[in-house]
Structure formats: structure tokens, C-alpha cells
Amino acid sequence: MKSIKEIYKLEGMSCTACASSVNSMLSSVKGVQSANVNFANQTVLVEYDPETASVKQLEEAVSQIGYRLITDKELMADEEAREAKRLHKARINLIASFAFAIPVFIISMFLPRLPYRNWVMLVLSCPVMFWFGKEFFVIAWKRAWYFSTNMDTLVALGSGTAFLFSLYNTFFPMKTQGMGMGSHMYYEAAVVIISFILLGRFLEERARTRTSTAIRKLVNLGVKTARVIRNGEEKEILISKVRIGDIVVIRPGEKIPVDGIVTEGESLVDESMITGESLPAVKKTGDRLIGATMNQTGSLLLLAEKIGEQTVLAQIIRLVQEAQGSRAPVQKTVDRIASVFVPVVMAIAVLTFFTWLIFFPSLGFTHAITTAVSVLIIACPCALGLATPTAIIVGLGKAAEHGILIRDARSLEEFCKINLIVLDKTGTITTGKPGVSEINWDEDETGGPEAIAGISAAVSAIEWRSEHPYARALIEFFKVPENTDNTVAGFESLTGKGVSGVYAKNLYHIGSPTYIDGKECSISETLAEYTQLLKKQAFSVVYIARNSRVVAVAAISDSIKPESAGAVKDLKNMGIEVHMLSGDSVAISSQIAAKTGIDFFKAEASPLEKSEYIRAKQESGQKVGMVGDGINDSPALALSDVGIAMGTGTDIAIESARIILLKGDLAKLVMALKISRQTVRTIRQNLFWAFFYNLLSIPIAAGVLFPFTGFLLNPMIAGAAMAFSSVSVVSNSLLLKTRKII
């Protein structure tokens, strides 16, 4: 039996090291060929042989290391409610933790003579340590069983040591005072560390709840019911009850329920969600229809061929799910450092303790434990925990001020590594709407400006009665005053081909050359040559005929956005390779690529082909950013290293992407890349400052200067150094806001 791929939800992960542990445990199960954990949306994509590995085995493997694998489909379907519950819990823990931590900090710093001061701080600290922040200690303990560490280990180690040492001094103050060290309290350090880390966790959880929105919106595109003809009767049934071979009735303005073939009728169908093209397609007997696309003008009968998981929409949903699940987390720097840093700090603390106990026994046990605690406190990960989130918050805010929404830190870090940008054509490089580029008049037939004005009024009046996108383009081009007479007689429309009507006693025909030829209208040699030139340039052509004579030829195209060519040039200057993908024809795509300076393009690309193109480039070693605006782009957006959506596009594209350009302006793409590079550079600087004080102060805290100078770092000074490193990190992040985008 072939292996199968399934996406399951995970619970309990708090960092990328957790994701790595889950990944390793699942990969070790016999029969599992691959496991890819996505920490951002708390899912895992597992490929396994169901004859060798069972779902129960997968669940047990994950539970052994303290996490939960959710394989029940009903529980997974209720993910939205579970996400809301997790976010609510994170918010409550954050608020409550600060509510207790702030009084402890005030008492410690500003109220040294408060009666029962130490006992009050102890009582206020306990809820933070044993309830709101207990997850850090629980996870650190579980990882200790497997001889591994992560960010939770650092938090538990630093805050736990500070709390326990303060607890000892609260109950036995005379012992430390007798050694001349004073009864120092570090309750404020313990609770403030936990509160700030909880703030980061809350922001992370809030961002994570949005990652599954794209899937839910894709699912909602489908219809709930369908009308089918069975035994000669039309019945409305649930979409799940539709069978292959059913005849489905589709009325104007309705979504198409399933994939199939038209058996009767003719209509315009908006397939932009699949093709990305703004123009509706003419569908008649024998043509294929795709589920969830929109029927516009006529009634159709459809022979159902693909239902349920077989439909194109279901395949797109699956592609987005797998792409999101297969992306490994990229922000692992802190956890990789922590995995080495924590054991080293623990070893130094232990070495410090025994060094003082053995070589300076006259100072006693309390002195030895005090120096060890100084080492642990100065190694506290507060600055390390703030290094990335503070820079990210400022970077995201700076981007938002310029109309750029970046969803998470992972996207920022990955975006600066991009070396290939793939652009969708319609709605991204171009406006996505047909417009009249130019119009050529037969001067012998039209005469002067007054005659042209009369023809313009006639075209506008007739096209107002049409729903075709070209009609809107012509009306917008002519801009006839609103008070103009729009009386039209004998209006008729041939779907997707053209319209006719009588205006001011003249008969007008407006439509494709084939439609006008069918009306037996003649055309001058000059306009005929002009038409051939337009076709070679990949323009769509609309004839305007008056009383059996073509009087004008309009060139219609999807116009290029003014900023597109400049953005492509800027990206190239930044060392980025630029490609274009389009569902349109080769002729049109080549014209757009040439005008914008794009050297590589692929035309007539389906949603599956777009995602395959992205995958192929990734397999060749390139870091790929995909920019799109349509539902058809969503699989490629999700699969790419960083998906960028135009804010003027569909909700699905926006939710599938990690970066959104609100105004649909490609110039903002260049700006987003520059902000990404600035932010990542700031993160690296922050990590340096976070460790600079540790590397400088840990040896001093351990007492290396004592034999030479008699100087021994007081734990209070150690706490101050720790705080100063945090201030340095936050200050450096705030400077990011003032830096120019160059």
C-alpha cells in the first residue's frame, strides 16, 4: 500500500526546539517516511505507511515528550474555537502576571522600609511563579528528562533560582547576614522575567491564530447545497449528497457546486478565482466548469464529474494545507544558542560553587551559593527573550506605517534571504481590469468632433445595458455626461460576443470582429490593417459599427500599473532575480514582460503549474518570494518561502500570504524588502548585546577578579547588569524606527 500524507494539529509547543523534538520523535516511528512540523500554525505534515504505523502510535510518540497530537477530524474542525480559547488564556495570564509583578517591583525598588516587606513580595510572587508562569517550569522539567534544553529552561533556571534564593533569605535572613552578604531579595527579577516572556508568548499566539484563516475561507468558497434532476424532478440537496453523473441545475448569479461538463445552456462564467483573469469565460455545451466559480448571465445544466475531494477547489485547499505544513520554522537562532548556552551557564555555576567551597572554605557555604546565584542571575535570558520580539514589533510597525503588513518574525527573517521574486501578472503587474488603450476612427465615416461625440453617446447608452467587462471599459473611456439622452431601442445581446441597439435613429453594433462580420458590416482597409497590428501586439479588439459600416476600432488590454517597471528595476538592482507567472496567453504575457523588463516568464499557467514552478525553483536551491492577488495564486503563495499578496486582491490570497501590500503597489514590495533587511540586522545586533553583558559579567560574577582585586560581584549588581542589557536591546530596537529606508 502506498504511503499517505496527513496534517494533524499539535498542542503544547512553545518554541522551535519543541517543534524539533516532535519532528524527531515522529520520524523515529517505524513506517513514518517524513514529518514536518510547522511551529507557526502548530501543525505537522506526516507521510507514513498506514500498514506499518498507526495513528495511535503517532499519538503515543508525541505524548511521551509532553505534547499532544490531535488526529480526530471533528476536534480538528473545531480549531477556530480552540485557537480563541488559547489566545484568551494567554491574554489572562499576561494581564494577571503583570498585575502581581508591578507591585513586587515597586516594593523592591522604592519601599525598603515597608513592614513585612519580604513576606508581602513572597505572597505576591507565588501566583506568578506557580500559576501564570508554571508552563515554563513544567516544560523545562519534561525536557530535562530527555537531556535537552530550550528557552523555557533558561526562563525556569533564571527566575527559579532568583525565587528560591529569595525564599531562603526570607525564611533564614540571619544566616546570610552572618556571612556579611545581607539578605538580598530577587523576587522582582523572578516575576518580571516571567511577565515579559508571557508578553512575547501572547503576541506570538495572536499571530498564530491567523494562520489557519486562509484554509477556512477556502472551504467557505464552496456551496452548501445543489439542485439536481433525479427521476425527472428538480431537487435541492446537500452538496455532500451529489453523485457523479448527476445533472445539476445552475441559475444566473449562482456558484457552480461541483466540477463537470455543460450539457445544456450558454452563459458567462467568472473563473477569476482559478485562472486569475478578470474577464469571464463563455461557457456552452461541452465546456468544462469548475466548482465554486460564479455563473453570471444564463442558466446551465451540468453533468457532475468530480465531487468532494476530487474537485479543483478541494485540491487547492489541500495544496495550501500541505505547503503551510511543510515549511520548517526559520527563526531558530535563539533556541540553537540556548541549547548550548544553558548547559554552559549551569556548568559555570556549579564550578563556581565548588571552587569557592573548596578553595575558600572560610567564607562558608552561603558565600559559595551566593556567587553561584550571581552567575545564574546575570545569565538570565530576559534580554535574550527581548532581542527578537522588540525588533520585530518595531519593524512590523514601521512597515505598517508604509502600507505593508508583515504577519510574523519568520516572514521578516526569511524575506531578507530571498533571491528570486516571482510575480503574478493580472492584478499584480497589471491593474487586473480591461481598459481602452487607444481608439482609431474612420474619419471618412465619422466626420468632425460633433459626430464622434454622437457615436460616443450611442456606445455608452448601449453598453450601459451590457454586463460585459468590455462594456465598462468603453463607458469609462468615453465618459459621456450623465445628462446625455440614453434612450435605446431594439437592444439585443449575444453572450460574450457583442451588443446591438438603435440610438438617435441609427443602428449600432458593438463587439468582436466575428460578431460584426455576422452583421454584414464593412470596414475600411485602414481600419482592417490597424486591427491586424493590434492583434499582433496581443490587444483585444472591439469594433464599433453604425448602419452596417465600422466607424471605429478600440484596442482593449489589461494596463500595466505605473510603478511596476520601476519596481522590477529596483529589485534587480538589489540583486533579486524577477520572474513572471500568468494564466494568460504567451503573446500577452511576452508583451507585459518586455514592457516591464522581466526576462523570464511562464504563460498559460494553472494554479497547480504555478505551485510546481515555485517548488522547482526551491529544489534548485533558490529562496523564492511569490507575489499574487488571486485565489489561483494561493497554493503558490503558501508554498513559497515568503508569499506576498496585493491588498487589492482576494481574501484567500491575502490570508495565504505572509506579507500584504495594502495598496497593491509593487513599489511597496521593494520597501518591504529593505525594512526586512534592516530589522534582521537589528535582531543580530540585539543578540550580540544580549550576550555581551553575559560574556563579560559571568566570569566577574564567578569571582575571577577576587584573588587579584578583592572585588566580588554583588548579586544586586548582577541583576542591574541583566536589566541594563535589556535596556540596550530595547533601545537599539527603537532606533530602528528612526532609520531611513534606503
Side-chain angles (χ1 to χ4, degrees), residues 101-124:
I102 291 174
V104 173
F105 179 80
I106 292 173
I107 293 170
S108 175
M109 296 291 106
F110 306 109
L111 301 174
R113 299 184 183 281
L114 182 73
Y116 304 104
R117 176 175 176 267
N118 295 346
W119 294 99
V120 172
M121 288 193 293
L122 171 59
V123 171
L124 291 173

Side-chain angles (χ1 to χ4, degrees), residues 284-445:
K284 55 186 182 298
T285 302
D287 290 338
R288 293 190 176 276
L289 295 178
I290 300 172
T293 56
M294 180 65 74
N295 182 35
Q296 291 189 337
T297 55
S299 296
L300 298 170
L301 293 183
L302 170 73
L303 176 65
E305 283 193 322
K306 294 181 180 180
I307 60 176
E309 297 296 320
Q310 301 171 336
T311 64
V312 171
L313 177 62
Q315 292 177 22
I316 290 177
I317 292 172
R318 184 69 180 180
L319 278 172
V320 174
Q321 287 177 324
E322 290 188 3
Q324 289 184 339
S326 64
R327 278 189 301 200
V330 296
Q331 197 173 353
K332 299 178 179 178
T333 305
V334 173
D335 285 300
R336 283 200 301 266
I337 295 172
S339 65
V340 176
F341 181 67
V342 177
V344 169
V345 170
M346 293 176 67
I348 293 173
V350 172
L351 180 62
T352 299
F353 173 78
F354 283 107
T355 298
W356 284 101
L357 196 62
I358 294 172
F359 294 100
F360 299 92
S362 61
L363 296 177
F365 176 85
T366 304
H367 187 86
I369 195 67
T370 300
T371 53
V373 167
S374 295
V375 170
L376 292 174
I377 289 176
I378 207 163
C380 181
C382 194
L384 187 61
L386 291 171
T388 297
T390 52
I392 292 301
I393 289 170
V394 175
L396 294 182
K398 187 174 183 177
E401 289 174 0
H402 291 86
I404 304 161
L405 295 184
I406 304 176
R407 292 188 184 277
D408 50 34
R410 183 186 67 241
S411 303
L412 267 177
E413 183 178 1
E414 197 72 12
F415 195 32
C416 73
K417 302 175 185 176
I418 294 296
N419 52 33
L420 169 62
I421 292 286
V422 179
L423 302 174
D424 170 53
K425 179 184 75 66
T426 305
T428 301
I429 298 174
T430 66
T431 60
K433 297 178 181 179
V436 177
S437 299
E438 56 183 281
I439 191 165
N440 201 348
W441 298 91
D442 186 338
E443 296 180 357
D444 294 335
E445 289 293 324

